[in-house]
Amino acid sequence: MQVLNVNENEAGQRLDKLLSKYLDQAPKSFLYKMMRKKNITLNKKKCDGSERLKEGDEIQLFLSDETIEKFSKKPAVPVLPTRSPEQKTRLSIIYEDEHILLVNKPSGMLSQKAKDTDFSLVEAVINYLIESQHISPAQLRTFRPAVCNRLDRNTSGLVVAGKSLAGLQIMSAVFKDRSLHKYYQCIVAGQVKERQVITGFLKKDAQTNQVTISAGELPDSTPIMTEYVPTSGNERYTLLTVTLITGRTHQIRAHLASIGHPILGDYKYGDPGVNETVRQKYGIRSQMLHSWKLVMPDLPAPLEKISGKTFIAPLPGTFSRVSEGEDFKPFS
């Protein structure tokens, strides 16, 4: 027999849904049969799987250890330490409470894995939470921490991860409804003198994972809007603060490139000659785009204490290397 104690990350869902996570190799017909025969009970009473769970509920499994093991896939828990240099990356934590984690993701790291063998920020977060004893390997059967927003592999900056179900749900919702305000910084080719709001239409090619920007609407294209403010620079390069008014795949990179100001180090949308120059002079090997600032909207409990707060991720050293080497002057 085993007893499962429902925690805050498991509360609110149906009993049959939680059982299908815990005994994830078992047919649903088996789970319902065990409930009918009272081999699975809720708070020592007969159940049918439709019950909504509350924190503190007890689920009794009157099953042999062999049966539970047979129908339970062991959670894929990243193991520390590891030999991969990428996996040895320590999280740069900007803010943490019991529900969320704000991380300054380095350039070169995936936000989420694309294939099973990848090591992404999600795995780094899980490693950290296990190491700090915030979550146990067993709890990964029914809840896995995850990121609420994603950045391209070679874009650095702020990513929010949900440590609890409430944190994950609330923060994912404010990213989706765009009530959370996001600001980026980037260095582009050319001199930009004025603040602008630019518009256009973006069309994505799923096969190449590349987008094109057009002035007019095309079939399957989506309207986009980007705002940028020049903050410093010279006649060759400019540091911009960018606000995504809409948020589409590669929007900042492709939109700026489409108006003749590609981001330095962007090998997909950038200028090959400029990229080679800054690679040789400053060692720039990826796009100089950084998710710099997040401004929180009013948030419900249990995240109300960060309502309206601003979080900033320091710029990577590559930015100061270019700005100092080029003797950038601030714009008034």
Side-chain angles (χ1 to χ4, degrees), residues 233-299:
N234 58 23
E235 68 278 3
R236 291 181 297 278
Y237 310 120
T238 307
L239 175 66
L240 301 179
T241 297
V242 181
T243 307
L244 278 176
I245 299 172
T246 57
R248 305 296 176 188
T249 301
H250 299 172
Q251 178 178 322
I252 295 175
R253 298 164 60 190
H255 213 178
L256 291 173
S258 75
I259 62 169
H261 295 292
I263 295 174
L264 272 57
D266 189 339
Y267 288 87
K268 183 168 282 192
Y269 302 104
D271 181 299
V274 171
N275 290 342
E276 181 60 18
T277 297
V278 295
R279 186 190 68 81
Q280 291 188 13
K281 194 171 182 180
Y282 300 111
I284 305 302
R285 290 179 169 80
S286 59
Q287 67 255 15
M288 298 194 69
L289 177 61
H290 180 73
S291 176
W292 171 58
K293 181 167 71 173
L294 295 178
V295 180
M296 299 292 171
D298 287 335
L299 297 170

Side-chain angles (χ1 to χ4, degrees), residues 11 25-26 31 44 73 149 172 176-177 191 193 199-200 206 216 225 237 239 244 263 266 280 294 298-299:
Q25 303 300 298
L31 299 176
K44 301 181 181 178
K73 182 180 179 181
N149 63 308
S172 295
K176 186 175 182 180
D177 67 22
Q191 187 175 44
K193 296 183 178 180
T199 60
M225 188 177 295
Y237 310 120
L239 175 66
L244 278 176
I263 295 174
D266 189 339
Q280 291 188 13
L294 295 178
D298 287 335
L299 297 170

Side-chain angles (χ1 to χ4, degrees), residues 129-145:
L129 296 177
I130 290 174
E131 198 176 43
S132 60
Q133 299 183 338
H134 181 84
I135 195 168
S136 70
Q139 289 174 315
L140 294 177
R141 292 186 181 188
T142 54
F143 173 75
R144 287 183 71 85

Side-chain angles (χ1 to χ4, degrees), residues 92 94-95 100-106 109-112 121-122 125 146-152 155-162 175 291 294 313:
S92 173
I94 303 300
Y95 172 82
I100 65 168
L101 191 67
L102 272 67
V103 179
N104 187 2
K105 183 188 83 69
M109 175 179 272
L110 288 166
S111 295
Q112 294 178 316
L121 182 61
V122 172
V125 165
V147 294
C148 308
N149 63 308
R150 289 178 293 176
L151 299 176
D152 294 337
T155 298
S156 58
L158 284 166
V159 176
V160 180
F175 274 105
S291 176
L294 295 178

